[in-house]
Amino acid sequence: MKIDRNKLYKFLFAIGLLYFCFIILDVPKIEPQWEGYPDVIDYKAQSKESLTSLNFYATKPKENVWFFPRPFTVPLFFKMASSDSYNMVMLQKTTYCICVISLLIAILNFISHFWVKIIAQCGLLFFFTWWNIVGWSDLPISESLSISLLFFWFSTILFYYKKQSVLNIIFLVISSILLSFTRDTWPYIILLFFLLNIFISIFLSIGSIKKNVSLFVFSICLFFAQSYTANVGQRHWMPMFNSIAGRVAQHDDYLAWFKNEGMPEADTLKTDFGEIKDLELDGRVLISKRYCDSTYTNLFLWIMKDGKNKYQKFLLTHPYYFFLQDLSSESVRGNLFSYNLPYYKGSEGFFVNADHVFPVFNVWFYLVFFLLLLFLFFKTKEIVYAFLASVFILCVVNALITYNADALEIKRHLFITTIILEFISISTLILLADYISNLVIKKPLKTL
């Protein structure tokens, strides 16, 4: 008896997705963690602004009130959750399921063989139950939406590569906006991707160059729009102060450079922060206590007026600093490839299984997979290989930008790096299996 392969695949696919969603969404009603975390307080306050008010999207600091304006995506989701943390947690989990399913469908569109599709579905769904990813959805902060919307952005890019329809372009634009406004580092990555996309499309001679150039222009507009909201909300002063106190103050020559550029309180910075050894522990507490210290009022004013441009100039003229050579290689590796951070409830139930498996690879494997993607791309001219290779480049750039943007809580900001690199590695193995299957079996089987 012959079995219709397509019907069997759709059945297995539906069962797999239902089971995945059940695992993610089957949670007891518990009090969300980190309810009193400053980020959560800010998100809730901003979510109460009207959607028709510019102040929701370009929020200004409040006088005589401790409030740190945020990019609008997370407050938008809080508004959808009625500013309730438990509702926000459930919304994050639902969003995660939708974004993972979207990415899975997009990846499977580039796989032709039945058994490779089945293996890909099972392997990737199991990977997406890794608590290092899912666990953040228990916390009403930006990490969960940031990773979920990144997955959705990946999926809309792949759908766009399959067909440059108006609908796919609209979804790509929307996903780019939502992802960008989860964090102020994402606009750089989105801009870089759409620039790479132009070169990839020219090399492959596929798609409309006008559409790709238009998307690049859109990313430039998005970059400046977010920069405008960041300036209005003065969102750069805190992370910049963290970097100056946490890294610059450790080196006399760096402090001298900033002092020559007009930065006040250089000597005070050296006295207060020059001997910090561990930014994750004592450094974080020591620096955060100074946010409201009148001693640094002139420094804060300088940061808000000239500091951002001066810091960017510093990064461009100090590659040793930008490429993290002023830090110990051990701490850099530990921060760049962080995972399973002990800041939230540990994994339990089904999630323990993935914790025993991931991460599977290390930095040498990641480099090998990147080179393999380049080889397959130049050999086959298939755009999916270029996409994954581009994501690898974006991941490296994002790690450098994020590391230099804020010296505090680096591990929490960069836990995403290992996730992306593992995703690239798993996807590369799946696509390689499909490529070999195409060589061995010239025509995919229609029936079992």
Side-chain angles (χ1 to χ4, degrees):
M1 176 182 177
K2 291 185 177 180
I3 301 175
D4 188 305
R5 183 192 64 177
N6 291 326
K7 289 184 178 179
L8 177 60
Y9 170 71
K10 290 178 181 178
F11 174 75
L12 294 175
F13 186 68
I15 293 297
L17 294 186
L18 287 173
Y19 186 54
F20 173 80
C21 292
F22 173 78
I23 291 171
I24 302 299
L25 298 174
D26 183 33
V27 294
K29 184 164 184 177
I30 57 175
E31 189 67 26
Q33 301 178 74
W34 292 20
E35 182 68 12
Y37 196 68
D39 296 44
V40 179
I41 296 172
D42 292 338
Y43 294 137
K44 286 186 176 183
Q46 192 167 331
S47 71
K48 294 175 182 177
E49 295 283 346
S50 171
L51 288 176
T52 60
S53 170
L54 179 61
N55 196 47
F56 180 83
Y57 307 95
T59 311
K60 300 177 181 177
K62 298 179 180 180
E63 293 184 8
N64 303 319
V65 177
W66 175 253
F67 169 72
F68 188 64
R70 308 284 174 166
F72 76 80
T73 296
V74 180
L76 175 63
F77 276 74
F78 255 107
K79 180 174 281 293
M80 294 166 60
S82 302
S83 300
D84 179 81
S85 292
Y86 176 77
N87 292 342
M88 182 63 174
V89 166
M90 294 308 300
L91 181 58
Q92 287 182 157
K93 290 182 181 295
T94 303
T95 302
Y96 180 70
C97 289
I98 294 171
C99 295
V100 165
I101 292 171
S102 177
L103 179 56
L104 183 62
I105 294 172
I107 286 288
L108 292 175
N109 278 337
F110 289 89
I111 301 172
S112 57
H113 285 269
F114 175 80
W115 286 112
V116 179
K117 279 179 176 284
I118 296 298
I119 293 171
Q121 175 192 335
C122 295
L124 286 172
L125 284 178
F126 181 65
F127 168 71
F128 288 125
T129 64
W130 186 15
W131 193 251
N132 185 49
I133 315 174
V134 181
W136 292 100
S137 63
D138 277 357
L139 308 175
I141 53 178
S142 65
E143 275 70 18
S144 179
L145 284 178
S146 185
I147 189 69
S148 294
L149 292 174
L150 179 66
F151 291 156
F152 184 61
W153 186 59
F154 287 165
S155 71
T156 57
I157 292 171
L158 291 172
F159 286 129
Y160 171 75
Y161 282 155
K162 271 294 184 181
K163 185 179 181 181
Q164 293 186 357
S165 65
V166 173
L167 183 61
N168 285 340
I169 292 174
I170 291 174
F171 275 114
L172 179 54
V173 168
I174 292 173
S175 68
S176 299
I177 294 172
L178 289 176
L179 173 64
S180 182
F181 280 94
T182 55
R183 283 189 176 169
D184 286 326
T185 53
W186 284 130
Y188 296 90
I189 303 306
I190 294 171
L191 179 65
L192 176 58
F193 169 76
F194 283 117
L195 177 60
L196 290 173
N197 179 58
I198 293 176
F199 292 109
I200 292 170
S201 61
I202 292 175
F203 179 81
L204 295 179
S205 300
I206 61 172
S208 167
I209 187 64
K210 289 183 179 180
K211 290 179 180 178
N212 292 322
V213 171
S214 296
L215 285 170
F216 176 60
V217 173
F218 153 74
S219 69
I220 295 175
C221 295
L222 180 62
F223 179 89
F224 283 107
Q226 188 151 349
S227 295
Y228 167 77
T229 67
N231 289 332
V232 169
Q234 300 174 2
R235 295 200 298 261
H236 59 271
W237 79 262
M238 185 185 293
M240 184 174 168
F241 178 70
N242 293 341
S243 294
I244 291 176
R247 285 183 64 190
V248 171
Q250 318 298 313
H251 301 272
D252 293 339
D253 52 337
Y254 295 164
L255 274 177
W257 187 92
F258 277 96
K259 190 173 183 179
N260 290 335
E261 293 292 325
M263 184 186 77
E265 314 298 346
D267 295 335
T268 308
L269 283 165
K270 177 64 178 177
T271 302
D272 288 345
F273 308 112
E275 300 301 321
I276 291 179
K277 301 299 181 184
D278 190 344
L279 284 175
E280 283 292 311
L281 298 175
D282 55 322
R284 177 182 172 186
V285 175
L286 181 61
I287 293 172
S288 61
K289 283 182 177 179
R290 298 302 186 119
Y291 292 156
C292 298
D293 191 338
S294 59
T295 303
Y296 290 102
T297 298
N298 291 332
L299 175 60
F300 294 149
L301 291 174
W302 177 83
I303 288 176
M304 288 184 283
K305 182 181 179 182
D306 301 316
K308 183 178 179 180
N309 292 334
K310 298 297 184 181
Y311 188 63
Q312 290 174 341
K313 178 182 176 182
F314 173 76
L315 292 176
L316 291 173
T317 56
H318 292 75
Y320 190 81
Y321 179 96
F322 179 77
F323 289 103
L324 315 178
Q325 298 304 299
D326 62 312
L327 304 171
S328 70
S329 57
E330 182 180 352
S331 79
V332 170
R333 284 196 303 271
N335 289 330
L336 287 179
F337 303 105
S338 59
Y339 61 93
N340 292 345
L341 304 183
Y343 301 144
Y344 51 88
K345 183 179 64 177
S347 56
E348 56 186 29
F350 185 89
F351 302 106
V352 175
N353 298 316
D355 270 0
H356 290 326
V357 176
F358 301 105
V360 177
F361 309 102
N362 59 31
V363 64
W364 298 111
F365 277 102
Y366 300 146
L367 291 173
V368 169
F369 286 128
F370 174 66
L371 295 175
L372 179 60
L373 285 169
L374 292 179
F375 169 77
L376 291 171
F377 170 61
F378 286 111
K379 184 173 179 61
T380 66
K381 304 298 188 294
E382 291 288 337
I383 200 167
V384 67
Y385 299 121
F387 165 74
L388 289 174
S390 298
V391 171
F392 181 93
I393 295 171
L394 297 178
C395 183
V396 173
V397 174
N398 180 66
L400 288 172
I401 290 175
T402 303
Y403 215 122
N404 285 293
D406 192 339
L408 295 189
E409 297 191 87
I410 293 295
K411 289 184 177 181
R412 183 164 76 90
H413 295 153
L414 284 179
F415 80 98
I416 198 172
T417 304
T418 300
I419 294 170
I420 297 174
L421 293 174
E422 289 287 303
F423 168 73
I424 293 172
S425 302
I426 296 168
S427 300
T428 302
L429 288 176
I430 291 169
L431 291 169
L432 179 62
D434 195 57
Y435 172 74
I436 294 173
S437 297
N438 284 327
L439 294 178
V440 177
I441 307 173
K442 300 298 183 182
K443 198 172 183 181
L445 294 174
K446 293 183 178 180
T447 58
L448 290 176

PDB file of all heavy atoms in Angstrom, residues 239-251:
ATOM      1  N   PRO A 239      23.756  53.449  29.223  1.00  0.00           N
ATOM      2  CA  PRO A 239      24.730  52.463  28.736  1.00  0.00           C
ATOM      3  C   PRO A 239      26.107  53.063  28.462  1.00  0.00           C
ATOM      4  O   PRO A 239      27.125  52.400  28.675  1.00  0.00           O
ATOM      5  CB  PRO A 239      24.095  51.921  27.449  1.00  0.00           C
ATOM      6  CG  PRO A 239      23.037  52.892  27.079  1.00  0.00           C
ATOM      7  CD  PRO A 239      22.567  53.512  28.343  1.00  0.00           C
ATOM      8  N   MET A 240      26.133  54.338  28.041  1.00  0.00           N
ATOM      9  CA  MET A 240      27.428  54.959  27.798  1.00  0.00           C
ATOM     10  C   MET A 240      28.176  55.203  29.103  1.00  0.00           C
ATOM     11  O   MET A 240      29.393  54.992  29.196  1.00  0.00           O
ATOM     12  CB  MET A 240      27.255  56.264  27.026  1.00  0.00           C
ATOM     13  CG  MET A 240      28.594  56.894  26.657  1.00  0.00           C
ATOM     14  SD  MET A 240      28.429  58.329  25.611  1.00  0.00           S
ATOM     15  CE  MET A 240      30.115  58.952  25.713  1.00  0.00           C
ATOM     16  N   PHE A 241      27.440  55.649  30.135  1.00  0.00           N
ATOM     17  CA  PHE A 241      28.073  55.811  31.438  1.00  0.00           C
ATOM     18  C   PHE A 241      28.595  54.475  31.946  1.00  0.00           C
ATOM     19  O   PHE A 241      29.693  54.393  32.526  1.00  0.00           O
ATOM     20  CB  PHE A 241      27.082  56.403  32.438  1.00  0.00           C
ATOM     21  CG  PHE A 241      27.634  56.555  33.833  1.00  0.00           C
ATOM     22  CD1 PHE A 241      28.605  57.502  34.111  1.00  0.00           C
ATOM     23  CD2 PHE A 241      27.202  55.730  34.866  1.00  0.00           C
ATOM     24  CE1 PHE A 241      29.129  57.640  35.399  1.00  0.00           C
ATOM     25  CE2 PHE A 241      27.711  55.852  36.149  1.00  0.00           C
ATOM     26  CZ  PHE A 241      28.681  56.815  36.422  1.00  0.00           C
ATOM     27  N   ASN A 242      27.828  53.402  31.730  1.00  0.00           N
ATOM     28  CA  ASN A 242      28.285  52.063  32.127  1.00  0.00           C
ATOM     29  C   ASN A 242      29.602  51.701  31.449  1.00  0.00           C
ATOM     30  O   ASN A 242      30.505  51.136  32.076  1.00  0.00           O
ATOM     31  CB  ASN A 242      27.225  51.012  31.759  1.00  0.00           C
ATOM     32  CG  ASN A 242      25.950  51.157  32.565  1.00  0.00           C
ATOM     33  OD1 ASN A 242      25.932  51.780  33.622  1.00  0.00           O
ATOM     34  ND2 ASN A 242      24.871  50.582  32.057  1.00  0.00           N
ATOM     35  N   SER A 243      29.707  52.020  30.164  1.00  0.00           N
ATOM     36  CA  SER A 243      30.919  51.685  29.418  1.00  0.00           C
ATOM     37  C   SER A 243      32.107  52.534  29.845  1.00  0.00           C
ATOM     38  O   SER A 243      33.235  52.042  29.976  1.00  0.00           O
ATOM     39  CB  SER A 243      30.669  51.850  27.912  1.00  0.00           C
ATOM     40  OG  SER A 243      29.716  50.916  27.453  1.00  0.00           O
ATOM     41  N   ILE A 244      31.860  53.819  30.075  1.00  0.00           N
ATOM     42  CA  ILE A 244      32.953  54.697  30.507  1.00  0.00           C
ATOM     43  C   ILE A 244      33.447  54.294  31.892  1.00  0.00           C
ATOM     44  O   ILE A 244      34.656  54.188  32.136  1.00  0.00           O
ATOM     45  CB  ILE A 244      32.495  56.170  30.497  1.00  0.00           C
ATOM     46  CG1 ILE A 244      32.280  56.639  29.059  1.00  0.00           C
ATOM     47  CG2 ILE A 244      33.524  57.060  31.189  1.00  0.00           C
ATOM     48  CD1 ILE A 244      31.730  58.048  28.952  1.00  0.00           C
ATOM     49  N   ALA A 245      32.504  54.046  32.809  1.00  0.00           N
ATOM     50  CA  ALA A 245      32.890  53.661  34.166  1.00  0.00           C
ATOM     51  C   ALA A 245      33.425  52.242  34.220  1.00  0.00           C
ATOM     52  O   ALA A 245      34.364  51.946  34.973  1.00  0.00           O
ATOM     53  CB  ALA A 245      31.682  53.804  35.106  1.00  0.00           C
ATOM     54  N   GLY A 246      32.834  51.337  33.416  1.00  0.00           N
ATOM     55  CA  GLY A 246      33.196  49.931  33.507  1.00  0.00           C
ATOM     56  C   GLY A 246      34.412  49.521  32.706  1.00  0.00           C
ATOM     57  O   GLY A 246      35.092  48.560  33.076  1.00  0.00           O
ATOM     58  N   ARG A 247      34.718  50.247  31.620  1.00  0.00           N
ATOM     59  CA  ARG A 247      35.867  49.860  30.784  1.00  0.00           C
ATOM     60  C   ARG A 247      36.862  50.984  30.564  1.00  0.00           C
ATOM     61  O   ARG A 247      38.066  50.802  30.739  1.00  0.00           O
ATOM     62  CB  ARG A 247      35.369  49.348  29.424  1.00  0.00           C
ATOM     63  CG  ARG A 247      34.775  47.943  29.473  1.00  0.00           C
ATOM     64  CD  ARG A 247      34.378  47.478  28.078  1.00  0.00           C
ATOM     65  NE  ARG A 247      35.520  47.344  27.184  1.00  0.00           N
ATOM     66  CZ  ARG A 247      35.394  47.141  25.877  1.00  0.00           C
ATOM     67  NH1 ARG A 247      34.194  47.056  25.324  1.00  0.00           N
ATOM     68  NH2 ARG A 247      36.466  47.031  25.116  1.00  0.00           N
ATOM     69  N   VAL A 248      36.357  52.159  30.195  1.00  0.00           N
ATOM     70  CA  VAL A 248      37.269  53.271  29.882  1.00  0.00           C
ATOM     71  C   VAL A 248      38.064  53.682  31.107  1.00  0.00           C
ATOM     72  O   VAL A 248      39.277  53.938  31.027  1.00  0.00           O
ATOM     73  CB  VAL A 248      36.470  54.472  29.326  1.00  0.00           C
ATOM     74  CG1 VAL A 248      37.371  55.703  29.196  1.00  0.00           C
ATOM     75  CG2 VAL A 248      35.850  54.118  27.984  1.00  0.00           C
ATOM     76  N   ALA A 249      37.397  53.736  32.266  1.00  0.00           N
ATOM     77  CA  ALA A 249      38.057  54.202  33.494  1.00  0.00           C
ATOM     78  C   ALA A 249      39.170  53.286  33.955  1.00  0.00           C
ATOM     79  O   ALA A 249      39.970  53.660  34.819  1.00  0.00           O
ATOM     80  CB  ALA A 249      37.020  54.363  34.609  1.00  0.00           C
ATOM     81  N   GLN A 250      39.261  52.095  33.380  1.00  0.00           N
ATOM     82  CA  GLN A 250      40.316  51.159  33.768  1.00  0.00           C
ATOM     83  C   GLN A 250      41.661  51.486  33.105  1.00  0.00           C
ATOM     84  O   GLN A 250      42.692  50.913  33.458  1.00  0.00           O
ATOM     85  CB  GLN A 250      39.926  49.716  33.370  1.00  0.00           C
ATOM     86  CG  GLN A 250      38.470  49.349  33.638  1.00  0.00           C
ATOM     87  CD  GLN A 250      38.103  49.409  35.089  1.00  0.00           C
ATOM     88  OE1 GLN A 250      38.819  48.900  35.932  1.00  0.00           O
ATOM     89  NE2 GLN A 250      36.987  50.050  35.391  1.00  0.00           N
ATOM     90  N   HIS A 251      41.643  52.409  32.126  1.00  0.00           N
ATOM     91  CA  HIS A 251      42.856  52.698  31.351  1.00  0.00           C
ATOM     92  C   HIS A 251      43.105  54.208  31.318  1.00  0.00           C
ATOM     93  O   HIS A 251      42.258  54.970  30.837  1.00  0.00           O
ATOM     94  CB  HIS A 251      42.710  52.153  29.926  1.00  0.00           C
ATOM     95  CG  HIS A 251      42.463  50.674  29.868  1.00  0.00           C
ATOM     96  ND1 HIS A 251      43.480  49.751  29.841  1.00  0.00           N
ATOM     97  CD2 HIS A 251      41.294  49.970  29.855  1.00  0.00           C
ATOM     98  CE1 HIS A 251      42.958  48.533  29.792  1.00  0.00           C
ATOM     99  NE2 HIS A 251      41.645  48.634  29.810  1.00  0.00           N
TER     100      HIS A 251
END
